[in-house]
Amino acid sequence: MVLPFDWQKAVWGDAYVRIRNIFALVHDGYTLRQAAEVAAGKAPKLIDRLDWNGASDRFKEQKINHGNAIKLSTWERKYSQVVFDAIELLTSRNPPTTPAVLIDRCIRQWEPGSRTRQERARNLCQFLRHCVDREQMPSIWTPPIDLKEHIGRKSASSVSHKSHPITDQQIINLLSSLPDTQVGQRWADAIRLMAELGLRPIELLYLSIKRDPKTKQAYWWCSYEKRTGGGITKPRRLWPLPLTESDTEPSGKFAVEWNLQSRWQAKMIKLPPLQSGNGAADSIATYLRRNTGWQSLKAQLESEGERLSCYSFRHSYSVRGHQRGIDNGSMALAMGHSIEVHCRSYPWATEAGAEAAFNRAYSSIQNVSANSRV
């Protein structure tokens, strides 16, 4: 590599500045030749020579038809916009010259620590890795492994979007507020299924009944595969946890029988349209927002500093399971995620386990004390 400076004392200052700039660029990850071109003001030309649009088309084809293939709707919803935004920046008159700068410029309009920031950053990094690994673009475009500094953390004053569980009685009261019409009962059945089976809204579209080949016993099955940062969750057997309703009798409570499995097998359950708009969760939320019972329950939770969403039915399933003594591992399996995710997402899981463990310890101490007095 030869710098375009004469070997004269008069130009040593310019040469020194150029060398310092090249050194800094190499330190940032450029090769020596790339650093020299960028320092010489040739970075835009260097970037222009890369076929970003063609790489985008091939990345889309790779994501949809190979590997852990995604649906076209998933591409449009989660990948298309951030890749388009990146290409607009990379082909502009003043393009970013490092992946770190590109990532920051593609995500900075969203709140630090938000789910949208996470998704855009991770999906953009997938595109950049594709460009380096499969398109033979310069290694300078290899994205960082650790994205924490880009995604950031929510400020202490930011509003949490995490939803909270609701009680069985609150769910039953909400169902009673839905209109007693064919349409209203379809939405009611969707809520009943989410609450009794602990479903994500999207999983309503992946329900079926299977039969054990040995016992001939029928059981619920969910074929949904959730793609996460840690991989893909597996299809799973579902374990119903019936809700309990308050009773005027001295017994206190009784299990609510909705006969969901038998009604499903008899094709008596017809779900409402869940595939329009932005998916099942958005469809359910749109319907419930117009319901007075939902509005009242939401106001009640907000007055207690909590948030209501259509995931609250799934959260209630987790609370119900731990109240009935089901361990973390079994609940995590039933809900379709790892124990680590379960304990992180459902703090009452660890709290319930700790409470039960200490209650057993107190009980054993009391028994020992009682026996010693006998």
Side-chain angles (χ1 to χ4, degrees):
M1 179 64 61
V2 178
L3 295 180
F5 296 101
D6 295 332
W7 192 255
Q8 296 178 6
K9 184 177 181 179
V11 297
W12 79 268
D14 293 338
Y16 175 73
V17 171
R18 179 69 62 84
I19 293 169
R20 286 286 301 271
N21 290 339
I22 292 173
F23 172 81
L25 290 165
V26 170
H27 185 267
D28 286 339
Y30 284 87
T31 66
L32 183 59
R33 181 173 296 279
Q34 291 166 353
E37 291 193 26
V38 172
K42 300 177 181 178
K45 295 180 180 179
L46 177 66
I47 293 173
D48 285 346
R49 289 203 298 268
L50 302 177
D51 184 14
W52 295 110
N53 285 298
S56 170
D57 293 339
R58 290 183 286 274
F59 176 59
K60 175 181 177 181
E61 197 272 338
Q62 178 71 23
K63 291 298 298 181
I64 293 175
N65 297 312
H66 301 280
N68 294 328
I70 63 174
K71 296 180 180 178
L72 178 60
S73 58
T74 302
W75 166 267
E76 296 295 342
R77 190 171 70 255
K78 295 189 175 183
Y79 289 84
S80 177
Q81 189 60 54
V82 70
V83 172
F84 176 82
D85 291 346
I87 292 174
E88 274 210 326
L89 287 170
L90 290 165
T91 55
S92 65
R93 297 186 63 180
N94 184 31
T97 56
T98 68
V101 173
L102 175 65
I103 293 168
D104 284 345
R105 290 176 65 179
C106 285
I107 68 174
R108 64 187 176 189
Q109 72 183 87
W110 283 270
E111 183 184 7
S114 65
R115 181 65 177 170
T116 303
R117 263 206 184 197
Q118 292 178 20
E119 285 190 347
R120 285 177 67 93
R122 290 170 182 169
N123 295 343
L124 177 54
C125 286
Q126 288 185 42
F127 172 60
L128 292 176
R129 278 191 287 271
H130 168 89
C131 291
V132 174
D133 296 342
R134 301 180 70 95
E135 304 285 335
Q136 286 76 54
M137 290 191 180
S139 60
I140 179 59
W141 292 108
T142 302
I145 296 174
D146 188 354
L147 295 175
K148 291 179 182 177
E149 291 300 316
H150 297 281
I151 296 170
R153 301 179 67 177
K154 292 184 179 180
S155 65
S157 60
S158 64
V159 178
S160 173
H161 295 290
K162 180 180 180 181
S163 55
H164 294 82
I166 50 181
T167 67
D168 288 4
Q169 192 62 53
Q170 286 172 324
I171 295 173
I172 293 166
N173 294 344
L174 173 65
L175 290 168
S176 299
S177 74
L178 298 183
D180 188 18
T181 61
Q182 186 179 51
V183 172
Q185 288 310 303
R186 288 183 182 180
W187 288 102
D189 277 335
I191 292 172
R192 292 182 182 114
L193 287 164
M194 288 190 293
E196 187 169 298
L197 299 176
L199 300 176
R200 303 174 178 94
I202 187 65
E203 291 176 337
L204 288 165
L205 302 172
Y206 294 83
L207 283 179
S208 64
I209 300 291
K210 287 194 172 187
R211 193 172 296 276
D212 189 294
K214 294 182 179 179
T215 65
K216 308 301 180 185
Q217 179 184 9
Y219 58 87
W220 286 104
W221 181 259
C222 177
S223 60
Y224 179 67
E225 295 181 345
K226 179 179 173 62
R227 286 164 171 78
T228 66
I232 302 176
T233 61
K234 297 179 180 179
R236 69 189 190 279
R237 178 174 178 172
L238 301 172
W239 303 86
L241 282 177
L243 283 68
T244 57
E245 184 172 14
S246 299
D247 195 354
T248 57
E249 298 298 322
S251 57
K253 290 188 175 183
F254 65 93
V256 178
E257 292 292 341
W258 287 328
N259 302 313
L260 295 174
Q261 184 169 312
S262 59
R263 290 176 57 220
W264 184 278
Q265 288 178 288
K267 301 187 184 302
M268 296 172 62
I269 294 180
K270 187 173 182 180
L271 294 175
L274 298 172
Q275 294 177 303
S276 59
N278 293 320
D282 183 67
S283 298
I284 296 169
T286 300
Y287 174 78
L288 288 174
R289 274 196 294 268
R290 299 191 291 264
N291 175 261
T292 55
W294 178 264
Q295 294 166 9
S296 175
L297 181 57
K298 183 181 180 192
Q300 179 185 338
L301 262 68
E302 287 179 350
S303 70
E304 300 168 357
E306 296 185 344
R307 179 175 177 269
L308 180 67
S309 83
C310 54
Y311 278 86
S312 294
F313 305 114
R314 174 171 163 86
H315 300 336
S316 72
Y317 175 89
S318 174
V319 173
R320 194 178 314 123
H322 289 293
Q323 287 174 338
R324 298 178 188 180
I326 302 175
D327 63 273
N328 288 352
S330 298
M331 286 303 302
L333 183 66
M335 298 184 73
H337 47 221
S338 67
I339 295 179
E340 292 80 9
V341 169
H342 187 77
C343 293
R344 184 171 66 248
S345 302
Y346 301 96
W348 52 83
T350 51
E351 291 168 4
E355 182 179 0
F358 277 97
N359 285 340
R360 287 193 298 270
Y362 295 148
S363 177
S364 65
I365 292 172
Q366 291 171 354
N367 290 336
V368 170
S369 177
N371 292 333
S372 66
R373 290 196 297 268
V374 171

